[in-house]
Amino acid sequence: MNRFSERQGHRPSRADTIQLESMDERLKNAIWNFLYARFLGENSTRALRMLGELLLQIAGGRADEVSVFHQTRLSQFSTWYFNSAWFDVYDALEYSLQKFGNDSHRKSINEILEREGSAYRFVGGFIAPISNEMEADSVGEAANQGLAFNLASQHISQAIAHLGNRSNPDYRNSIKEAVSAVETGVQIAAGSPGLRFEKAVNSLDLHPQFKQALQNLFRWASDEDGVRHGMHSERQVGFPDARMVLVMCSAIVNFLIVEFGD
């Protein structure tokens, strides 16, 4: 909910100020407060271990300079954190939640990221540039399916990883993996993992126009000028393309699971 100052127009809404390749002081402080309250502030073995790993694995510190004392480690990490670039902060947050977090932590940090106008959410085990909660839920659901559609979920997870690489995003391979998730999902739904995509689509009980849409998506990514074969045209694949395809393919995978899953 917007605050009084935002509702009255005295300050812009934080939710309307999307921070994609930047992080203001307030967002950085909010992430720090989350890490401190949930992990780093407690004087425990877990916090000591976590600080040590962050200092060595994320901050790139020297093992002989990492203190054995909790408060000193906290001070060392705090100094690094508040002098770091925005993408380093997300690296620290992602590492913390992957190694020490749970679903409750991920839900809480996503609420904070939304509130503070971050363009990122924690989905499918990674922090990815998806700012809409409905889209994040759809992508996250597609990346965490059970045994039957596990292979499709793995492709979605790889697509998230390529898109969420903050230092070197790979948009082309993100699209490739997302479309491969649909291909795999269709084959699983058809009960024939090795079946050609068009035959698998045609075997499903779907509306003809929806079948055509799935085939067009696959052709767009797979023809000789498509993503999966290396585009020869001058047009570059960018973030809007990769984000759109990831969200769309995740929704399709989720649909296939509902319609054809056990």
Side-chain angles (χ1 to χ4, degrees):
M1 179 181 294
N2 287 351
R3 298 181 178 180
F4 171 82
S5 57
E6 295 169 344
R7 296 196 306 272
Q8 297 301 313
H10 299 293
R11 285 196 180 96
S13 170
R14 296 288 292 172
D16 294 337
T17 307
I18 302 301
Q19 302 181 63
L20 179 60
E21 294 190 354
S22 63
M23 178 180 291
D24 64 15
E25 182 179 11
R26 179 164 161 165
L27 175 55
K28 182 177 280 192
N29 287 344
I31 294 173
W32 172 264
N33 291 340
F34 167 81
L35 290 173
Y36 183 86
R38 298 300 181 98
F39 304 105
L40 305 181
E42 60 186 41
N43 190 0
S44 66
T45 301
R46 182 183 73 162
L48 189 68
R49 177 190 163 202
M50 183 172 173
L51 284 164
E53 290 192 23
L54 287 169
L55 285 166
L56 295 176
Q57 303 298 327
I58 303 300
R62 287 172 40 181
D64 60 312
E65 292 181 345
V66 175
S67 173
V68 298
F69 301 105
H70 172 263
Q71 281 303 124
T72 308
R73 279 192 188 183
L74 183 61
S75 178
Q76 290 173 326
F77 180 65
S78 173
T79 298
W80 173 85
Y81 178 95
F82 285 105
N83 287 284
S84 292
W86 65 272
F87 43 84
D88 290 325
V89 171
Y90 282 122
D91 281 346
L93 176 62
E94 184 177 75
Y95 185 89
S96 298
L97 293 184
Q98 286 176 341
K99 290 293 294 288
F100 301 94
N102 55 39
D103 288 342
S104 176
H105 295 137
R106 287 183 277 275
K107 182 176 184 295
S108 294
I109 193 58
N110 279 345
E111 290 173 354
I112 291 169
L113 294 174
E114 179 183 20
R115 183 190 73 208
E116 298 302 332
S118 170
Y120 297 84
R121 299 292 184 273
F122 204 101
V123 290
F126 299 94
I127 292 177
I130 299 175
S131 58
N132 181 288
E133 284 306 297
M134 184 177 295
E135 293 175 354
D137 289 344
S138 179
V139 174
E141 182 180 351
N144 290 282
Q145 291 300 328
L147 291 176
F149 283 82
N150 181 255
L151 289 177
S153 292
Q154 289 180 31
H155 283 298
I156 293 293
S157 293
Q158 286 301 310
I160 296 169
H162 287 308
L163 183 62
N165 187 328
R166 287 164 296 285
S167 60
N168 187 30
D170 190 341
Y171 301 130
R172 189 179 301 278
N173 274 320
S174 180
I175 293 174
K176 175 182 175 181
E177 292 291 344
V179 175
S180 293
V182 172
E183 178 184 20
T184 302
V186 165
Q187 292 169 337
I188 293 170
S192 302
L195 195 62
R196 286 183 55 221
F197 182 75
E198 289 196 9
K199 288 187 176 181
V201 169
N202 286 328
S203 73
L204 299 179
D205 184 17
L206 296 171
H207 190 282
Q209 294 302 319
F210 186 46
K211 289 183 181 182
Q212 188 64 52
L214 293 177
Q215 291 170 352
N216 287 340
L217 171 66
F218 187 75
R219 290 177 189 136
W220 170 73
S222 303
D223 67 15
E224 64 179 11
D225 197 33
V227 174
R228 301 192 341 165
H229 293 287
M231 285 187 172
H232 304 296
S233 63
E234 295 181 359
R235 185 180 183 279
Q236 296 297 311
V237 175
F239 168 70
D241 307 88
R243 180 180 181 276
M244 179 271 293
V245 173
L246 173 58
V247 172
M248 178 172 59
C249 289
S250 296
I252 293 171
V253 168
N254 289 331
F255 168 80
L256 292 172
I257 292 167
V258 171
E259 288 295 308
F260 302 101
D262 295 332

